């Protein structure tokens, strides 16, 4: 899993808590404590996959575009981190039974782990994340 996943959830939660107004990437980056360029990269990805809409110019910014109940954390994981659990194996000795097979064995195991993670993340919608954050305000 990479930080784009957590930044995407942070950004969407920030936008969801302000449903009636546009939010700037600078405001979101300040909330997340990261450089605006990092947030813009994530926002671009979210926009490409139609989670958010944007408007340029004065009064512009970003706004959540979907029903919070219909976006789950697995949806976000797939666009930000899919395959991130795949092990990074060094170049092995392919004449050795272990070296020749370790990468495919580990990839198979971690692919299964990612499938289990997906089933777990599907149980959490953005509505639930927003509610959990709101309870702590």
């Amino acid at each position: 899993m990479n930080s784009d996943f957590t930044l995407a959830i942070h950004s969407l939660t920030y936008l969801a808590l302000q449903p009636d107004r546009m939010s700037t990437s600078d405001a979101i980056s300040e909330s997340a404590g990261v450089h605006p360029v990092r947030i813009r990269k994530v926002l671009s990805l979210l926009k490409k996959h139609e989670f958010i809409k944007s408007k340029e110019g004065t009064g512009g910014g970003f706004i959540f575009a979907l029903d919070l109940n219909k976006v789950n954390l697995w949806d976000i994981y797939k666009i930000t981190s899919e395959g991130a659990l795949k092990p990074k194996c060094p170049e092995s000795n392919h004449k050795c039974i272990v070296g020749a097979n370790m990468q495919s064995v580990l990839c198979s195991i971690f692919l299964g782990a990612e499938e289990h993670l997906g089933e777990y993340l599907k149980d959490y919608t953005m509505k639930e994340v927003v509610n959990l954050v709101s309870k702590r305000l």
Side-chain angles (χ1 to χ4, degrees):
M1 191 172 315
N2 61 40
S3 62
D4 286 354
F5 176 65
T6 56
L7 290 174
I9 294 170
H10 188 115
S11 300
L12 291 172
T13 303
Y14 186 94
L15 295 173
L17 286 169
Q18 302 180 60
D20 299 326
R21 67 183 185 104
M22 302 293 256
S23 298
T24 66
S25 57
D26 287 338
I28 299 168
S29 71
E30 185 176 320
S31 171
V34 298
H35 196 279
V37 171
R38 293 273 331 273
I39 287 294
R40 287 185 197 113
K41 176 186 166 210
V42 171
L43 292 172
S44 174
L45 189 59
L46 292 171
K47 182 180 175 188
K48 175 182 173 187
H49 290 276
E50 301 179 344
F51 288 94
I52 62 174
K53 293 180 183 176
S54 68
K55 177 182 167 194
E56 294 184 23
T58 305
F62 299 89
I63 195 162
F64 205 107
L66 301 173
D67 180 338
L68 294 174
N69 289 307
K70 295 192 177 172
V71 177
N72 63 55
L73 298 187
W74 181 239
D75 296 329
I76 300 163
Y77 180 89
K78 287 187 297 186
I79 67 164
T80 60
S81 304
E82 191 167 30
L85 296 182
K86 182 179 176 183
K88 315 289 189 273
C89 296
E91 196 59 40
S92 301
N93 178 353
H94 292 285
K95 294 178 183 175
C96 170
I97 191 166
V98 176
N101 294 293
M102 187 54 60
Q103 184 170 0
S104 63
V105 168
L106 288 177
C107 285
S108 175
I109 292 168
F110 281 85
L111 178 62
E114 194 167 59
E115 288 173 7
H116 285 290
L117 175 63
E119 291 305 313
Y120 182 79
L121 292 177
K122 285 176 187 175
D123 289 338
Y124 291 91
T125 66
M126 281 305 302
K127 178 70 173 170
E128 291 167 304
V129 173
V130 169
N131 287 343
L132 289 169
V133 169
S134 296
K135 286 181 185 178
R136 297 176 188 238
L137 295 176

